[in-house]
Amino acid sequence: MSSDGENQTMEFDQTALAIIAKPLAPSKLHRRLLKLVRKAGKDKSLKRGVPGDVSPIDVLTHIPVLCEEANIPYAYLPSKVELGAAGSTRRPTCCVMIPEPKSGTFSVGVILMSDNIELSEEQKLLIQTNMERARRLISSKRPLEDTVQQAAVNETITTSRRGGFLHPSQPDSTLKDTREARRLNDDIIVTYPLEGNATCRHCTSIELDAVLKTHFSINVCHNCREIHSNNYRLLTKTTVKDEYLLTDEELADTSVLPFMTKPNPYKSTWSDMQLYLSMHVEKFAVKKWGSLEALQQEITRRESTKEARKEKKFKEKLKELRLKTRSKSSSALSSRASRRHVHCFEIVAAGLKRCTECQLEVEEEDI
Amino acid sequence: MSSDGENQTMEFDQTALAIIAKPLAPSKLHRRLLKLVRKAGKDKSLKRGVPGDVSPIDVLTHIPVLCEEANIPYAYLPSKVELGAAGSTRRPTCCVMIPEPKSGTFSVGVILMSDNIELSEEQKLLIQTNMERARRLISSKRPLEDTVQQAAVNETITTSRRGGFLHPSQPDSTLKDTREARRLNDDIIVTYPLEGNATCRHCTSIELDAVLKTHFSINVCHNCREIHSNNYRLLTKTTVKDEYLLTDEELADTSVLPFMTKPNPYKSTWSDMQLYLSMHVEKFAVKKWGSLEALQQEITRRESTKEARKEKKFKEKLKELRLKTRSKSSSALSSRASRRHVHCFEIVAAGLKRCTECQLEVEEEDI
DNA sequence: GCTGTCGGATACCAC
DNA sequence: GTGGTATGCGACAGC
Ligand SMILES: [Zn+2]
Ligand SMILES: [Zn+2]
């Protein structure tokens, strides 16, 4: 099953790129890259190069080459995905390099592209190859990723009885599945004599889903649960807060919104997951927000304010950097930079690199 | 001067209504009514009638009559003004009654109208008359209004030397003038021998404005100050925070944004006004927000979030009320209500009134 | 008009 | 994925 999910991410033609760009359906590899970037950012180990007055593409075109030479796997990501999920920048094109925890050498490069950059067939192929290499590296190197990987395996084990239920027409079933968490426990409750069993609320089956019956006192069979999967999904507390805009306070009233717990898949010693039933949550959210449309409107509103905040913050930072950098790079030097070449940087000060050929100065900032 | 301002508010034909409806240029009377409503709201003394399932206009048509009979002055206000300034409701039509502090009898009624309600000539005349009565009552009755009125007089006194400078083509000069506060002190600094005086930064005059020279070390003559009045306006701290979105922290750095103080015009014992120079503020705001356009965009954004919040809050409240009221008014009774008549309410419970003829129930809520 | 306080929402970090 | 804390902002009441 897990191999299913990963195979899908390898197709990376223009069509797939458009699909992957949807914020709500990032592929597994994308999500891993984002997590990786985010984690590296937290560790203050992520380096982000911000060029001064030259067009960003001028600086970036050589990165793939450098990566190739240094045998560093890299990958292109549509920028939209990054913006939403990893909370990165609004720059149309930029590059992040993720160093090894110990040695400081770079292990993975990620190039964030604007959506409207045209790719040649050759580039596409290169991308595909490197995506694969990056994927392999990621799944084998990073402790965080290892944990998640491990968790996925554990889930698969506990759900062995339904391991093969994934439908081929669901390209992002991996993601969906994790969020639904229906595979966590699929035991069936049947007692003897059979006549004493309650029947499914939708049909006459007595093979009731154990999770729903035990934790939510809902009698529903596996079949009907899947038929009405929108009602019987399990949602984590975080998801509910993010996608239904409920508050901690509201989620604390178990008489209105009961929940079950499961060990935290990231690390079992961390706080348990709190899983709410989608039908409860949705009903509550409709009561709170008026309608699902109104809810969606509020979500959009908050997202746009978030975007605005980010943009403002970034502009401030950029202006600062520009002020710091502009004085150092004279116009005479930058005109020389127009000649096409691969920048070769030397470090001239803490966080400041200069190309030995064109004197382009690039400031590194920790993010 | 103050009589100038008040005369203008008496013209209340359709044209004037459109003019008055502009949020940024409410007439003096409008602003007083709004303050009155707001203050009454704070005192929990404001009663707002919320009809159940009947069309609001059905309930409201008799209010003027009742007011007439009880000799209560009333006035129509375009609803848009209320929504923005007094933070009232989104109802297209509603009515607020403001009781006397002691007796509890009503002294002023304000009817908030939708902008698209058609008025007959007779109605317009009635409105005009009652506007006038309401204005007189307000300026004579309310302690808050008295204070403001008094403050206005004091300002006029301190600015006697330029008392007549108001231009007739400025209908809202009263408001503008207060905000500019240029009349607070218009002494001229000239020392002898005349050769020792600095000259105006814009011309050769040595009759420098004392306020700007003393508090901001800016040499500018009265004439040039008025010519460049956009640069040399004085803005209160509150105005700066509202209209330029600067924070307390930013406004505290006097090396960047110096300010002068003046006694609080509302009550001299309250905190002094802090007056900033418009050119300083604008320059800082442009640096902070990127441009005046970006600032305006942010202001608009915040206003829309505020609107959204209000709307949501109101919807919640309305839903509650509907639930409480609906069960009490049967459909049979409300059909009887369609006959045209003046509702005559009796109190059936705390905050609940019922018309003796049509049984219409109206719930009063404190706001 | 100014100030302090409170509640909501958001961002960040550690587990 | 969750819980805590820190921060910025809007609302409000008192002065
Ligand atoms: Zn069933
Ligand atoms: Zn001059």
Side-chain angles (χ1 to χ4, degrees), chain A residues 201-213:
Chain A
R201 61 200 298 180
H202 302 291
C203 71
T204 58
S205 169
I206 58 169
E207 297 193 344
L208 302 183
D209 186 290
V211 171
L212 295 186
K213 183 171 180 63

Side-chain angles (χ1 to χ4, degrees), chain B residues 56-57 60 77-80 83 89-94 111-117 314:
Chain B
I57 197 70
L60 287 183
L77 285 182
S79 63
K80 288 278 175 54
L83 297 179
T89 93
R90 250 187 124 40
R91 274 165 265 221
T93 314
C94 77
I111 298 176
L112 315 181
M113 308 186 310
S114 171
D115 290 333
N116 52 14
I117 284 186
F314 167 65

Side-chain angles (χ1 to χ4, degrees), chain B residues 254-285:
Chain B
T254 53
S255 69
V256 182
L257 291 172
F259 63 88
M260 60 179 287
T261 60
K262 280 282 167 185
N264 195 307
Y266 283 76
K267 211 152 209 159
S268 57
T269 58
W270 294 355
S271 302
D272 283 351
M273 273 198 301
Q274 292 158 223
L275 298 171
Y276 293 82
L277 196 58
S278 54
M279 59 185 289
H280 294 166
V281 170
E282 185 163 319
K283 187 177 161 198
F284 191 96

Side-chain angles (χ1 to χ4, degrees), chain A residues 46-295:
Chain A
L46 184 63
K47 293 297 176 188
R48 185 167 59 173
V50 176
D53 275 328
V54 297
S55 118
I57 198 70
D58 181 34
V59 179
L60 286 183
T61 42
H62 69 292
I63 299 281
V65 183
L66 291 179
C67 283
E68 289 294 329
E69 282 176 1
N71 204 25
I72 299 170
Y74 64 94
Y76 291 87
L77 284 182
S79 63
K80 289 277 175 53
V81 176
E82 320 318 315
L83 298 178
S88 187
T89 93
R90 248 186 125 40
R91 276 165 264 222
T93 314
C94 75
C95 166
V96 294
M97 303 295 289
I98 301 166
E100 283 290 321
K102 300 285 155 50
S103 66
T105 60
F106 294 129
S107 64
V108 183
V110 181
I111 299 175
L112 313 182
M113 307 187 309
S114 171
D115 289 333
N116 51 14
I117 284 185
E118 286 292 326
L119 297 178
S120 71
E121 286 307 309
E122 194 184 354
Q123 282 175 317
K124 289 180 198 170
L125 188 64
L126 194 63
I127 288 171
Q128 182 180 336
T129 312
N130 283 289
M131 285 287 277
E132 212 178 324
R133 283 165 61 193
R135 178 178 56 73
R136 275 200 293 269
L137 197 79
I138 287 167
S139 58
S140 67
K141 280 211 172 175
R142 285 280 152 175
L144 172 64
E145 298 306 319
D146 286 347
T147 312
V148 173
Q149 184 80 356
Q150 191 55 36
V153 171
N154 285 340
E155 278 189 28
T156 309
I157 290 172
T158 62
T159 59
S160 56
R161 274 193 61 186
R162 296 176 73 189
F165 87 104
L166 296 176
H167 198 281
S169 71
Q170 278 190 312
D172 244 316
S173 51
T174 319
L175 173 61
K176 264 200 155 154
D177 205 37
T178 304
R179 283 194 24 218
E180 292 180 8
R182 281 191 311 190
R183 297 172 302 137
L184 289 174
N185 189 329
D186 61 338
D187 288 341
I188 291 175
I189 292 185
V190 180
T191 58
Y192 298 92
L194 292 177
E195 290 71 26
N197 286 289
T199 58
C200 169
R201 61 200 298 180
H202 302 291
C203 71
T204 58
S205 169
I206 58 169
E207 297 193 344
L208 302 183
D209 186 290
V211 171
L212 295 186
K213 183 171 180 63
T214 310
H215 297 287
F216 299 101
S217 307
I218 288 178
N219 296 334
V220 63
C221 73
H222 271 161
N223 238 355
C224 295
R225 183 182 176 185
E226 230 168 288
I227 292 169
H228 305 90
S229 59
N230 271 347
N231 289 334
Y232 299 122
R233 258 180 308 156
L234 294 177
L235 308 172
T236 68
K237 186 179 188 179
T238 303
T239 306
V240 173
K241 290 209 281 187
D242 285 352
E243 301 185 4
Y244 293 88
L245 304 184
L246 304 192
T247 65
D248 281 307
E249 201 188 356
E250 292 160 341
L251 290 168
D253 186 350
T254 52
S255 68
V256 182
L257 291 172
F259 63 87
M260 58 181 286
T261 60
K262 279 284 165 183
N264 195 307
Y266 283 76
K267 211 151 208 157
S268 57
T269 57
W270 295 355
S271 301
D272 282 350
M273 274 198 301
Q274 291 157 221
L275 298 170
Y276 293 83
L277 197 56
S278 54
M279 58 185 288
H280 292 164
V281 170
E282 184 164 322
K283 188 178 160 197
F284 191 96
V286 166
K287 213 172 72 187
K288 173 175 185 178
W289 296 103
S291 67
L292 288 183
E293 289 71 35
L295 167 64

Side-chain angles (χ1 to χ4, degrees), chain B residues 152-182:
Chain B
V153 171
N154 284 340
E155 276 190 30
T156 310
I157 290 172
T158 61
T159 60
S160 55
R161 273 193 61 186
R162 296 176 74 189
F165 88 105
L166 295 177
H167 198 280
S169 73
Q170 279 189 313
D172 244 317
S173 52
T174 318
L175 173 60
K176 262 200 154 153
D177 203 37
T178 305
R179 283 195 22 219
E180 290 180 11
R182 280 193 311 196

